[in-house]
Amino acid sequence: MKKVVFTLLFILPFGLMGHAQDFRLGITGGYNLNSPSAYESQSGFHGGIKGELGLPQVSKGLYLDFGVLLSSHGWKSPGYYVNGGYVNQNKPGISYEHKSNPYFLNIPIHIGYKFPVSRNMNMFVHAGPYFNIGLFGKLQEVQTVNKEKQSVVTTANNVFSSDILQRFDWGLGFRAGVEIVRHIQLAVGYDWGMKNINKNGVDCKNRTFVASCTYMF
């Protein structure tokens, strides 16, 4: 049932394209800062295509915003010593940490509204659910001796097929920004992951700050 609902949500916006005159397509990309619960932040990126479907029959300025993006949501574990204690306690010795930068197929489906500011500028906000499908990403172990990095070992070539992370994720997202001359969009926002994607018991819900630039055709 979940797969059926997910498929319908994915194809609905594209199915409406052919019946809407107020449809636009664009390319988008930008910066991710993922700060998942129980782990440390990691920088990443996103990029792909997005669409806008105007809904003037409901309200002027209302629209459906959706996309298909490649998005990275990295994380890093706190460092730990083999003899106990943590790296931030400044104890000498050998420490270990694990880091990963998994990549997802990110599908946001948001409802938005545009507010005209001037002839060539609109402000906009949009919010709604997003769905992630895990694609690939390595897990690495970093060994540090007396605060100097010594070695990096890959412990898993794909975190989604190695029983480390759940392949499917979902959450809620929000964006706010400005549209210039109807083509250039600059936005910032935040995604709240609603699912613990860690298979090993540690709470890991994606929490991602996003900054993006989009060109609409």
Side-chain angles (χ1 to χ4, degrees), residues 63-126:
Y63 67 102
L64 182 67
D65 183 282
F66 53 93
V68 179
L69 313 172
L70 177 67
S71 186
S72 62
H73 297 270
W75 52 267
K76 183 171 66 173
S77 70
Y80 62 92
Y81 284 98
V82 294
N83 60 349
Y86 290 88
V87 172
N88 58 15
Q89 294 178 345
N90 296 317
K91 294 181 179 179
I94 301 175
S95 67
Y96 296 88
E97 64 182 16
H98 294 89
K99 64 178 183 178
S100 180
N101 201 17
Y103 291 84
F104 294 84
L105 183 67
N106 174 242
I107 305 170
I109 304 176
H110 292 181
I111 292 293
Y113 197 87
K114 293 185 179 180
F115 309 85
V117 176
S118 66
R119 182 178 178 180
N120 293 317
M121 183 178 294
N122 293 321
M123 301 291 292
F124 63 85
V125 294
H126 57 82

Side-chain angles (χ1 to χ4, degrees), residues 9 17 158:
L9 287 172
M17 292 179 190
N158 191 326

Side-chain angles (χ1 to χ4, degrees), residues 1 21 23 52 71-72 84 89 101-102 124 132 136 140 142 144 150 160 165 169 176 179 187 202:
M1 184 62 184
Q21 296 180 347
F23 169 75
E52 289 184 0
S71 186
S72 62
Q89 294 178 345
N101 201 17
F124 63 85
N132 280 338
F136 55 89
Q140 295 180 318
V142 181
T144 304
Q150 298 294 309
F160 301 108
L165 295 184
D169 179 32
E179 181 181 74
V202 179

Side-chain angles (χ1 to χ4, degrees), residues 13-14 17 20-25 50-54 66 217:
F14 299 96
M17 292 179 190
Q21 296 180 347
D22 194 14
F23 169 75
R24 297 196 300 161
L25 194 66
K50 66 167 288 184
E52 289 184 0
L53 179 64
F66 53 93
F217 296 101

